[in-house]
């Protein structure tokens, strides 16, 4: 049976990416992306909601995210969803995040160094717990 796990979002970084390291020493980037939605109800009132996505970027893509991305930066992100399960105070909790595969910066920032327009990983993404 075919299956598909793919997500595409366009949004702004909630804060600068953080560098994390696994127990085995592998470095990766973590950051949040805010995606806002606006609509009008039948009475004409405008509503706005913001969805926050937790993101991990591994390998060369993680290095690029750490170097070029800053809070407020508008990006396109494509990847897959991953849900981790853990126990806290005897209760099972779930945490869903986006594992980035491709990222594109959509706004120009004058202070940026020469930046790649579109970054896609063709190599296998290695994740460690």
């Amino acid at each position: 049976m075919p299956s598909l796990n793919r997500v595409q979002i366009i949004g702004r970084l909630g804060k600068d990416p953080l560098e994390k390291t696994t127990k085995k020493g592998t470095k990766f980037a973590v950051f949040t992306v805010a995606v806002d939605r606006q609509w009008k109800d039948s009475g004409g009132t405008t509503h706005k909601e913001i969805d926050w996505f937790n993101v991990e970027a591994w390998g060369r893509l993680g290095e690029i995210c750490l170097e070029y991305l800053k809070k407020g930066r508008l990006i396109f992100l494509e990847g897959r969803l991953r849900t981790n399960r853990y126990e806290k105070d005897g209760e099972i909790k779930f945490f869903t995040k986006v594992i980035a595969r491709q990222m594109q910066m959509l706004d120009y920032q004058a202070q940026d160094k020469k930046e790649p327009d579109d970054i896609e990983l063709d190599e296998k993404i290695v994740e460690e717990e």
Side-chain angles (χ1 to χ4, degrees), residues 5-37:
N5 179 355
R6 181 169 150 177
V7 61
Q8 295 179 324
I9 57 176
I10 294 176
R12 296 195 179 272
L13 267 70
K15 58 183 175 181
D16 291 354
L18 298 173
E19 183 178 301
K20 297 247 180 160
T21 307
T22 66
K23 293 176 185 174
K24 294 182 179 180
T26 304
K27 294 180 182 177
F28 62 101
V30 295
F31 53 95
T32 57
V33 176
V35 178
D36 61 333
R37 297 180 284 130

Side-chain angles (χ1 to χ4, degrees), residues 86-100:
Y86 63 96
E87 188 174 331
K88 182 177 181 182
D89 300 327
E91 188 176 339
I92 295 176
K93 307 264 185 180
F94 296 91
F95 182 79
T96 301
K97 57 191 165 188
V98 176
I99 307 298

Side-chain angles (χ1 to χ4, degrees), residues 61-72:
L61 180 58
E63 293 171 12
I64 290 168
C65 290
L66 288 166
E67 184 175 350
Y68 292 104
L69 298 184
K70 300 289 180 216
K71 178 180 178 177

Side-chain angles (χ1 to χ4, degrees), residues 13-14 23 34 45 48 70 73 99 101 116 126:
L13 267 70
K23 293 176 185 174
T45 305
K48 182 177 181 179
K70 300 289 180 216
R73 191 79 196 253
I99 307 298
R101 183 179 136 336
V126 178

